[in-house]
Amino acid sequence: MKPVTRQRGIVLLLVILIMLAIGGVAILGTMGSGASSALRSQNKLKSNAEIMAAARAALIGYALNGTAGAGNRPGQLPTPDTLALPTQNYDGMSDASSCLNGAAANGLPALPGALAQVASSRCLGRLPWKQLGLAIDGASEPDVLGIVPWYVVSQNLADPNPGAECMGVLNPVTAATEWTTFSCAETTKPAWPWLKVCDATGKLLSNRVAFVLIIPGELLQTTGRSQLRVRTATGTNPQGYGHPGDFLDAIPTPAGWASLPVAQRCTGYDNAALTGEFVTAPASDSFNDQLIYVTIDELMVEIEKRVALEVSEALKTFRTSYGSYPWLTPVAIPTLASTTTPMVTSTSYDGQIGTNAGLVPLHDFTSSANRFKTELTWNIGGPPSGDIGTFTGNLNNAATEFPCGGGANPTCTCRARVATAVSAIPRTVTTAAFTTIKSGTPNVSAPLVSCQRSSSNSKTIRDNTLTCTAYTITTTTPVTYAIQRRNTSGGNCVTGGTRVYIGDYAGITTRSITLDPTLFTGTASFQAGTSSTHPTRTFTNGSITTLGLLSVTDNWMPTTLGTAPFDQILSTFPTGIITGAGSTAQTTSVILSNVRAYPDFPAWYASQKWNEFMYAAFSPDLPPAGGLSTCGANCLNAGNSLNVNLITISAGAPFAGQLRYSGSPTSASFLEQLNATGATTRTFSSTSQPRNSTYADTVVTLPR
């Protein structure tokens, strides 16, 4: 079985079911590239009702796909089809530079690229029906009759600036947050106000509209203009056919408009006015537009289902690869999810042993924000025998001398020596500062190194390349060295020979042990863990013992530094003498153990901060490395879905009082009943329970 293919297939199936449920038709559009053969209409759409229902379902399917749009995230929608040069025809494809300038006459010219990041940008044009895989009977590139629906989409969802979207993060919290001021690079709220739709009485139907579809009727004399649908430049259409005003209608300002609260009305009632406001009204001699719309709240419900399924499938794939689900992240430790406020890049989503209900840990391949901790141990070879002074730049030269005094003989040199009668530099870790390392022991007691699992394909769980941060630890040890004075060339420092033992000198050695991160990258297999350490793995790549991976430097500060025989070195080595240096050479090894293996998600999952909303619970019968293939006495239930192994929930935006990132949050800080107590009762809400003013969870189950 190929986990990636299966996962994508199930996500595609969910999207199809959602589209069928929402659209009410079996003639659907593609969700994006790669899916057109599965969803393309077999019969051309004829009636306006068929066209509108299929267009609505196709657009929602496109948004759920999450990889077809320029932003590569669930919720992204295509920009409209416009009169793109040089043909000035509607070709049925989305145009990157199709958002009109609402501050200019007729909205022309269109705003391309970064120029569309202005408050007056309005994304209005024709439905990109070919791109969506629809077949509309009678449609043509000129489309003078207006058979193809007009399509307007919020700039929050169709920003034509891929990689630099003004609404940089789209998830339940940012979608629910009220717009305040136009601001690009927004990560906590919408960058634009959502679209508005009002009725013929002037009353606001919604000010949180994600997209609008309009099919115009016969041309007529509408409020404020006579419609002309001609090929040549004339009248209200200086660039030829296709100006919105020649197709879309308006109504007079309703008589009761002024008596409505400002927040409950529109300011204009013209579907072609490029104000971001639209009107639906009964058909008349001056108005025949047919309009439908979808709000961001309706769309977000379906997006949360799609993301919850993504998480469920990722956990299932993890279990297939590693034999069990991973331990999850406790909600009671908010710093594991974020800092003191929501929507802040998390620093860690570490699974905690014994946690079978909580937030879902993840591998974030797009940045180092979600690194995981690992432990390490090493064994360093013994000290070199004889002379050990090393300080001239060649740290492996053990015969280098240092200048030492001698009264009137400043040219003398000395060497520090290791002998049985004096204390050697300790070459194994024994001090209290190193108790967590436990040299030679594979199971150490505390995480020390921050690592990230790399991947060229963020959906390929078998790419186990590790990249770890540099790591340095130091300790101090009282050490005594034997010092030997020597003659230099032409010198006369000693009597009766070229070298002489002049005494033992005490001091403090500071040991620095550093792991080189450039050599800490390699590919290795993850070995099976145990029930007490899962989801840990051991990094067993043989190249981990490469020379230079681990460097050890001992710096000796003699107690008598500044006096004979050390009176000549203070200016050269003010911090002491390097008395030993080494790396992972003779009989040495470095072992990374307890390497975390977490589920893999697409890049948008972390960049859009979905990890702050996704909760999971698995049956207590299925602990990591527990050996069981399915639940038994402790299965989970969700409504009528019984005997379930795994529950995945999107928590949605928090209600008032649900403080998720301060104090000591509980499951009730994220979930509503029955889900808040489900980990204890093993009973959760139905997957079909609708949302209301007190319930915002989205439940997905993984059956036995």
Side-chain angles (χ1 to χ4, degrees):
M1 182 185 72
K2 296 181 179 180
V4 174
T5 303
R6 179 177 177 83
Q7 182 173 353
R8 289 176 178 167
I10 294 180
V11 171
L12 177 63
L13 176 61
L14 174 71
V15 172
I16 294 173
L17 294 175
I18 291 172
M19 290 167 62
L20 286 170
I22 294 173
V25 293
I27 305 172
L28 305 177
T30 166
M31 300 180 300
S33 59
S36 59
S37 62
L39 299 177
R40 184 174 296 277
S41 169
Q42 299 300 313
N43 300 299
K44 290 186 177 181
L45 305 173
K46 296 181 180 180
S47 71
N48 287 351
E50 283 182 325
I51 293 172
M52 295 285 259
R56 181 178 185 270
L59 286 168
I60 292 175
Y62 184 104
L64 298 185
N65 188 33
T67 58
N72 293 321
R73 63 184 182 185
Q76 197 75 10
L77 286 165
T79 50
D81 177 17
T82 56
L83 296 174
L85 295 174
T87 60
Q88 290 198 12
N89 282 348
Y90 294 108
D91 61 2
M93 302 299 291
S94 176
D95 295 320
S97 300
S98 63
C99 295
L100 302 177
N101 183 358
N106 301 324
L108 300 170
L111 292 171
L115 294 177
Q117 293 184 334
V118 295
S120 59
S121 180
R122 300 288 181 265
C123 290
L124 184 146
R126 299 295 183 88
L127 180 74
W129 55 279
K130 286 185 180 178
Q131 183 164 330
L132 294 170
L134 298 173
I136 300 178
D137 191 33
S140 64
E141 289 194 355
D143 195 30
V144 175
L145 298 177
I147 293 174
V148 176
W150 285 78
Y151 162 60
V152 57
V153 57
S154 168
Q155 273 281 62
N156 292 316
L157 306 180
D159 192 324
N161 299 277
E165 290 84 359
C166 280
M167 188 176 182
V169 174
L170 176 64
N171 61 39
V173 163
T174 60
T177 303
E178 293 296 325
W179 173 84
T180 53
T181 57
F182 174 81
S183 176
C184 280
E186 187 59 71
T187 60
T188 62
K189 59 187 177 182
W192 281 269
W194 298 103
L195 305 174
K196 291 183 178 181
V197 174
C198 286
D199 65 16
T201 69
K203 182 179 179 181
L204 180 71
L205 298 178
S206 178
N207 61 353
R208 293 180 52 77
V209 175
F211 68 85
V212 177
L213 291 167
I214 306 173
I215 290 185
E218 301 285 338
L219 60 81
L220 43 69
Q221 179 79 31
T222 192
T223 301
R225 61 184 173 273
S226 297
Q227 292 176 339
L228 298 171
R229 300 177 187 175
V230 294
R231 179 73 175 176
T232 58
T234 182
T236 60
N237 187 6
Q239 290 195 1
Y241 73 92
H243 179 260
D246 288 327
F247 291 83
L248 305 180
D249 306 336
I251 64 172
T253 301
W257 173 83
S259 64
L260 295 171
V262 173
Q264 298 178 20
R265 68 190 188 195
C266 290
T267 57
Y269 298 86
D270 186 346
N271 288 335
L274 299 178
T275 60
E277 299 182 346
F278 299 87
V279 60
T280 180
S284 67
D285 292 339
S286 60
F287 188 94
N288 57 18
D289 288 349
Q290 298 178 51
L291 180 149
I292 63 172
Y293 63 90
V294 171
T295 68
I296 182 59
D297 304 300
E298 293 171 313
L299 187 60
M300 189 55 65
V301 169
E302 308 309 326
I303 292 172
E304 288 190 60
K305 291 179 184 177
R306 181 257 194 269
V307 178
L309 183 73
E310 183 90 34
V311 173
S312 181
E313 286 300 307
L315 289 168
K316 181 179 179 181
T317 299
F318 183 96
R319 187 178 177 189
T320 299
S321 299
Y322 296 124
S324 65
Y325 300 119
W327 290 121
L328 303 174
T329 303
V331 297
I333 309 178
T335 54
L336 293 178
S338 188
T339 57
T340 57
T341 57
M343 313 318 301
V344 177
T345 300
S346 59
T347 57
S348 177
Y349 265 72
D350 288 340
Q352 300 293 307
I353 293 175
T355 303
N356 67 306
L359 301 175
V360 180
L362 76 153
H363 284 302
D364 182 357
F365 298 102
T366 60
S367 72
S368 60
N370 289 98
R371 289 183 175 272
F372 56 91
K373 298 296 181 64
T374 185
E375 291 89 32
L376 60 96
T377 183
W378 62 72
N379 177 37
I380 304 170
S385 61
D387 303 322
I388 59 173
T390 59
F391 56 84
T392 62
N394 181 0
L395 296 182
N396 292 314
N397 182 353
T400 307
E401 301 166 354
F402 61 87
C404 61
N409 298 298
T411 60
C412 295
T413 58
C414 290
R415 290 185 181 180
R417 295 183 59 82
V418 174
T420 56
V422 295
S423 300
I425 303 174
R427 305 300 288 191
T428 56
V429 180
T430 58
T431 66
F434 290 93
T435 54
T436 60
I437 296 174
K438 297 182 181 177
S439 177
T441 303
N443 294 319
V444 296
S445 60
L448 296 171
V449 178
S450 174
C451 296
Q452 183 178 11
R453 222 183 85 228
S454 305
S455 178
S456 57
N457 180 350
S458 63
K459 298 279 253 183
T460 305
I461 199 168
R462 290 183 175 84
D463 184 349
N464 293 324
T465 301
L466 286 179
T467 301
C468 300
T469 57
Y471 178 74
T472 299
I473 190 168
T474 61
T475 187
T476 58
T477 306
V479 176
T480 299
Y481 290 101
I483 301 299
Q484 181 189 74
R485 180 175 290 156
R486 299 170 157 257
N487 279 332
T488 56
S489 177
N492 184 21
C493 298
V494 300
T495 301
T498 59
R499 57 183 63 89
V500 64
Y501 169 75
I502 62 173
D504 295 341
Y505 292 85
I508 299 295
T509 288
T510 300
R511 165 164 289 185
S512 297
I513 302 176
T514 301
L515 286 91
D516 184 342
T518 61
L519 297 174
F520 221 151
T521 300
T523 302
S525 61
F526 289 104
Q527 306 301 314
T530 66
S531 59
S532 62
T533 59
H534 192 87
T536 62
R537 301 293 183 267
T538 300
F539 193 73
T540 57
N541 189 356
S543 66
I544 204 70
T545 60
T546 301
L547 179 67
L549 170 66
L550 182 73
S551 63
V552 182
T553 301
D554 292 312
N555 203 68
W556 181 44
M557 178 67 76
T559 305
T560 56
L561 185 65
T563 64
F566 309 109
D567 52 352
Q568 301 296 312
I569 70 166
L570 191 57
S571 60
T572 307
F573 303 104
T575 60
I577 307 167
I578 298 178
T579 56
S583 57
T584 49
Q586 356 167 332
T587 64
T588 61
S589 64
V590 176
I591 300 173
L592 279 178
S593 60
N594 292 346
V595 176
R596 267 61 172 175
Y598 293 143
D600 298 327
F601 294 103
W604 54 258
Y605 183 80
S607 70
Q608 302 300 297
K609 303 183 186 297
W610 280 98
N611 47 313
E612 298 193 8
F613 304 92
M614 304 314 298
Y615 179 95
F618 58 82
S619 168
D621 294 341
L622 302 171
L628 296 180
S629 60
T630 187
C631 63
N634 296 298
C635 291
L636 308 179
N637 301 311
N640 293 327
S641 298
L642 306 179
N643 300 323
V644 173
N645 283 337
L646 175 71
I647 300 283
T648 303
I649 303 174
S650 174
F655 290 111
Q658 284 184 321
L659 301 178
R660 298 179 179 177
Y661 303 101
S662 62
S664 298
T666 65
S667 57
S669 303
F670 289 82
L671 308 174
E672 289 76 68
Q673 289 293 2
L674 303 165
N675 303 321
T677 55
T680 301
T681 65
R682 301 192 299 279
T683 299
F684 295 81
S685 300
S686 169
T687 58
S688 60
Q689 180 168 333
R691 292 190 172 191
N692 53 45
S693 59
T694 60
Y695 183 88
D697 294 343
T698 298
V699 179
V700 169
T701 64
L702 189 66
R704 300 175 66 175

